[in-house]
Amino acid sequence: RIGAGGDSAGHCRAARAATSASVTRSDPQFQLELGKCHLRSGRWDDALSAARVAEANAQDIPERVTLLRRIGKAQEDMLADSQAAFGAYGEALREDPNAEPILEDLERVAGYGGLWAELVGLLEDEVPNVSDEQAVLGFYLRSARIFEEELGSNVEAIERFRSVMEIDPDHEKAILALDRLYLKEGMWADLAEILQLEVERAEDEARVPLLLRLGALFENNLEDVHQAISAYRDVLDLQAQQSEAVQALERMFGAGFERPVIGELLEPIYTENEDWNRLHDLLHALLEHQLPGDDRMRAMHRLAELSLEKLGDESRAFDWYGAAFKEVPEDEQSHQELARLAGVTGRWPDLVVVY
């Protein structure tokens, strides 16, 4: 009857007079009407009290959630009490952890009330009570964002993104976030692990930039040459002339790392590109890894032939055949080529010295 009509002031006087009756005290709808009256009268505390009574007597979760959000909004807007508003929204979240609007309410209040730590605590307290996997993922992702962006704690954010990965190992947002945070924090071994996962998930040439990052990480930060070479080899399997991978291999070769292994990767590239000077220098550097005797002699013959046929340098070819003769003096090919090239180059005195 109170809500049926009449003037506003009379409506409110009748509503307040009816609060002594137990039937009305336990009626959420009546309490809401009473709360509206208090609002019109500027009685904010009384309005909130009425809403609290309504919430306590609400029969189902959606109704309680709606009332709790109204209470929070009133405390937020009318009383400017962010702590109290946060508490009301927190109660609503406990009633319905999957409600995105409640989470937005909480973030809004946490933002201007400086309650980010409290929000993270609330979210993580609720995780054990949530059975829905997607809701749990949402809580961890939200907590991770707050730790990284609001609280400035990358390490704590990392732990939450790892929790996401435990539930969903292919969660792309968590993978990319861990990539970014491991890089920021200099967590090189962890970064290598997440990059390897990204490589596995990528397709075809989309793997190239990831493998290049992985190779550089192993080369420069983890100082694991073997793994670096492996990453660059995978790049060349996808793009045979990929310049960054080639330059990295040349850099490591020049530093003396794993030369026979790297040489096998660079040799076909130099040959295909007809880069005979680089191929000559590569084969020359690999001589020290050849076994003395016939193996080294054959490597010198190859260098002599390369000098003669591709570089057009008879004098250099003479020197290589001379070195091959010293390595295996009884080799007939070395004898013949030395004599022939001495005639071509006029280096007879040098031939005498070789013999």
Side-chain angles (χ1 to χ4, degrees):
R1 286 197 301 273
I2 289 173
D7 66 284
S8 175
H11 177 118
C12 292
R13 282 195 298 272
R16 287 194 289 272
T19 57
S20 60
S22 61
V23 66
T24 57
R25 287 173 63 85
S26 61
D27 182 349
Q29 188 58 43
F30 172 79
Q31 292 295 333
L32 287 176
E33 291 297 328
L34 179 60
K36 291 176 184 177
C37 291
H38 290 317
L39 286 176
R40 283 193 287 271
S41 304
R43 298 159 62 97
W44 313 128
D45 290 335
D46 290 338
L48 285 170
S49 296
R52 277 293 183 188
V53 173
E55 183 269 325
N57 290 282
Q59 298 300 309
D60 56 47
I61 289 175
E63 186 177 3
R64 287 198 298 275
V65 167
T66 299
L67 289 166
L68 285 165
R69 289 190 69 207
R70 285 183 182 177
I71 292 168
K73 189 65 173 169
Q75 289 165 328
E76 186 180 351
D77 293 344
M78 294 183 299
L79 301 179
D81 188 341
S82 58
Q83 191 77 48
F86 184 90
Y89 293 139
E91 290 182 56
L93 183 69
R94 294 185 185 95
E95 294 284 350
D96 185 5
N98 296 312
E100 182 67 22
I102 301 173
L103 292 166
E104 292 173 359
D105 292 337
L106 284 163
E107 283 216 23
R108 184 180 62 252
V109 175
Y112 65 70
L115 299 171
W116 293 115
E118 289 82 351
L119 177 52
V120 167
L122 173 64
L123 293 174
E124 300 196 348
D125 284 346
E126 281 303 299
V127 167
N129 303 321
V130 179
S131 57
D132 182 76
E133 187 175 274
Q134 290 305 309
V136 173
L137 286 174
F139 278 20
Y140 280 133
L141 288 170
R142 198 174 293 265
S143 293
R145 186 202 70 77
I146 292 169
F147 273 121
E148 181 182 2
E149 298 178 11
E150 309 297 345
L151 298 175
S153 178
N154 290 338
V155 173
E156 293 292 343
I158 285 168
E159 288 305 314
R160 275 65 187 178
F161 283 122
R162 283 174 171 171
S163 295
V164 171
M165 295 282 291
E166 289 175 5
I167 298 171
D168 182 2
D170 290 319
H171 197 287
E172 184 171 5
K173 185 174 181 179
I175 291 171
L176 295 177
L178 287 172
D179 182 327
R180 181 183 68 253
L181 291 170
Y182 287 151
L183 180 61
K184 282 184 179 179
E185 293 299 307
M187 299 171 67
W188 307 128
D190 295 299
L191 179 57
E193 185 176 337
I194 208 73
L195 278 173
Q196 286 167 331
L197 177 59
E198 291 181 68
V199 168
E200 291 171 9
R201 297 176 72 250
E203 295 183 0
D204 302 326
E205 294 194 1
R207 301 169 65 200
V208 169
L210 295 168
L211 286 165
L212 287 171
R213 286 184 61 202
L214 189 60
L217 181 65
F218 279 123
E219 179 187 356
N220 301 316
N221 302 104
L222 294 172
E223 297 182 349
D224 188 334
V225 173
H226 177 75
Q227 291 285 4
I229 293 171
S230 178
Y232 293 134
R233 180 190 290 113
D234 289 342
V235 172
L236 295 178
D237 287 341
L238 293 165
Q239 294 181 4
Q241 297 280 345
Q242 213 287 329
S243 60
E244 290 179 62
V246 172
Q247 290 167 11
L249 290 168
E250 289 174 335
R251 182 171 57 248
M252 288 190 289
F253 186 90
F257 295 122
E258 301 284 346
R259 281 186 162 180
V261 175
I262 297 175
E264 289 182 4
L265 298 173
L266 292 177
E267 183 179 337
I269 294 172
Y270 293 159
T271 301
E272 183 177 347
N273 293 340
E274 298 184 358
D275 194 341
W276 307 124
N277 281 311
R278 288 193 178 185
L279 180 59
H280 178 276
D281 293 342
L282 178 81
L283 297 176
H284 185 182
L286 289 174
L287 270 180
E288 63 180 275
H289 299 281
Q290 298 289 344
L291 293 173
D294 289 347
D295 286 347
R296 188 173 294 172
M297 179 198 69
R298 282 190 288 269
M300 292 172 177
H301 281 181
R302 188 180 176 195
L303 280 161
E305 291 162 5
L306 179 64
S307 300
L308 193 60
E309 297 170 8
K310 302 299 183 183
L311 296 175
D313 189 338
E314 291 92 351
S315 183
R316 185 185 295 184
F318 177 91
D319 290 334
W320 282 121
Y321 278 120
F325 173 78
K326 292 178 180 178
E327 188 71 29
V328 182
E330 63 273 17
D331 179 68
E332 187 61 30
Q333 182 182 355
S334 298
H335 277 277
Q336 292 175 354
E337 288 299 319
L338 275 171
R340 185 181 69 81
L341 289 169
V344 171
T345 60
R347 293 182 60 181
W348 296 109
D350 293 327
L351 179 61
V352 173
V353 173
V354 171
Y355 285 164

